[in-house]
Amino acid sequence: MSVNTASRVDFDVIASLVNPGARVLDVGCGDGELLELLQNTKNVDGRGVELSQKGVNESVARGLSVIQGDADSDLKYYPDAGFDYVILSQTLQATRNPKNVLTELLRIGEKAIVSFPNFGHWRMRASLLVNGRMPVTEELPYSWYDTPNIHFCTINDFVDMTREIGAQVENAVALNAFGQRIGFNMPWGFWNLFGQQAVFLLRR
């Protein structure tokens, strides 16, 4: 995982997009906090995949069904439409091939939920302009040389990628610096400027 789960305001948004009793695969599930939330509040049939052994151990300690795996290389082993939802929360930017990973999510799940930090937020732009250095923020707390994030993207970039792979945006939410939702009817460019995080519900 690429961010501290203590500040994961996207979890409630993700949970609101999942139907009760759904079959869910959480890819890059970290310590299992989101999967546990979904099991407790939505009674989902949940499974998880996590790269770090520490995350797997913490998830199993919560009583969750989580295995060790890599989103870039191991999703191909899952069957088509094996889940109602496949979730990738705050992990897309840490994958080596985000476009391929997103394509696999939509193959495995009837729907995919993806959340990510928006590198197009005005504070990111201002920090680069004023300081001339890669920004370090609460959502992206790593220095450029030790960050697990290798593919930063903006909301506009993500929307472009969904179009390239033929994915349909069924719902989307942008969150500001206070974790509040930005108006749904705002254009992508407005979200791209003022949204610190985004959550997308996609379907094939």
Side-chain angles (χ1 to χ4, degrees), residues 70-73 75 88 92-104 150-151 161:
D70 187 335
D72 278 297
S73 59
L75 294 181
L88 191 74
L92 183 69
Q93 70 279 0
T95 62
R96 292 187 298 276
N97 191 333
K99 186 175 179 180
N100 182 67
V101 169
L102 187 58
T103 301
E104 284 291 275
I150 56 179
H151 287 294
M161 185 168 66

Side-chain angles (χ1 to χ4, degrees), residues 12-202:
D12 288 337
V13 176
I14 292 171
S16 73
L17 298 173
V18 175
N19 290 330
R23 298 165 299 160
V24 173
L25 177 65
D26 187 1
V27 179
C29 65
D31 64 4
E33 182 181 354
L34 174 59
L35 201 53
E36 184 178 56
L37 173 68
L38 292 173
Q39 288 193 349
N40 291 341
T41 62
K42 293 299 184 80
N43 194 33
V44 303
D45 178 8
R47 302 288 186 271
V49 180
E50 168 57 29
L51 181 62
S52 73
Q53 186 61 56
K54 179 175 182 290
V56 173
N57 293 344
E58 291 173 342
S59 296
V60 171
R62 293 175 186 263
L64 303 172
S65 178
V66 173
I67 63 172
Q68 190 168 23
D70 187 335
D72 278 297
S73 59
D74 295 331
L75 294 181
K76 63 185 178 184
Y77 299 114
Y78 286 85
D80 295 355
F83 295 87
D84 298 311
Y85 299 89
V86 181
I87 299 172
L88 191 74
S89 59
Q90 303 287 345
T91 304
L92 183 69
Q93 70 279 0
T95 62
R96 292 187 298 276
N97 191 333
K99 186 175 179 180
N100 182 67
V101 169
L102 187 58
T103 301
E104 284 291 275
L105 298 185
L106 290 165
R107 179 187 63 79
I108 297 167
E110 295 291 341
K111 298 180 181 181
I113 300 175
V114 182
S115 70
F116 57 91
N118 174 33
F119 203 70
H121 186 265
W122 71 266
R123 288 187 178 178
M124 296 285 193
R125 304 185 195 194
S127 179
L128 278 169
L129 179 64
V130 173
N131 300 317
R133 292 182 172 87
M134 291 296 289
V136 176
T137 68
E138 185 176 347
E139 289 75 30
L140 297 166
Y142 301 95
S143 296
W144 67 269
Y145 52 82
D146 66 356
T147 179
N149 302 312
I150 56 179
H151 287 294
F152 290 112
C153 77
T154 69
I155 291 174
N156 284 349
D157 290 328
F158 184 81
V159 171
D160 288 344
M161 185 168 66
T162 63
R163 291 169 179 159
E164 287 181 20
I165 66 173
Q168 300 296 313
V169 178
E170 187 167 300
N171 202 343
V173 176
L175 302 171
N176 64 20
F178 304 101
Q180 300 166 332
R181 299 188 184 206
I182 298 175
F184 181 75
N185 292 326
M186 295 298 181
W188 294 126
F190 186 89
W191 280 17
N192 200 48
L193 188 60
F194 294 104
Q196 279 203 338
Q197 300 183 54
V199 182
F200 279 75
L201 174 63
L202 308 173

